[in-house]
């Protein structure tokens, strides 16, 4: 009974490793340009927000000074 249990644990571990390796190799190929376009749009939005952050902060401070 104990040996059967050990074999099932080993089998499960090997199966999990094979599943992990096949999911990694199943990544989308570079010919799928739609994902690259989505990634590029997301990167541009992120960069725009990072660049606009200080300007928005200055505008907020100016509005506070004007009201105060």
């Amino acid at each position: 009974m104990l040996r059967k249990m050990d074999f099932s644990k080993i089998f499960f571990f090997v199966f999990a490793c094979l599943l992990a390796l096949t999911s990694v190799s199943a990544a989308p190929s570079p010919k799928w340009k739609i994902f690259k376009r989505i990634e590029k749009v997301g990167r541009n939005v992120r960069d725009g927000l990072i660049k606009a952050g200080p300007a928005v902060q200055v505008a907020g401070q100016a509005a506070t000074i004007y009201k105060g």
Side-chain angles (χ1 to χ4, degrees):
M1 184 88 175
L2 185 61
R3 288 182 171 225
K4 189 174 186 180
M5 189 173 166
D6 288 342
F7 178 75
S8 65
K9 287 181 181 180
I10 293 170
F11 180 76
F12 177 77
F13 178 75
V14 170
F15 179 75
C17 290
L18 287 174
L19 185 66
L21 289 174
T22 56
S23 67
V24 169
S25 66
S29 62
K31 64 182 178 181
W32 290 8
K33 293 184 180 180
I34 187 72
F35 294 116
K36 291 229 179 242
R37 289 180 187 161
I38 292 171
E39 182 183 2
K40 186 176 179 181
V41 168
R43 195 175 13 189
N44 287 341
V45 169
R46 182 200 65 203
D47 292 344
L49 288 173
I50 290 171
K51 289 179 183 178
V56 171
Q57 187 178 13
V58 169
Q61 288 175 351
T64 305
I65 292 171
Y66 178 73
K67 288 180 182 179

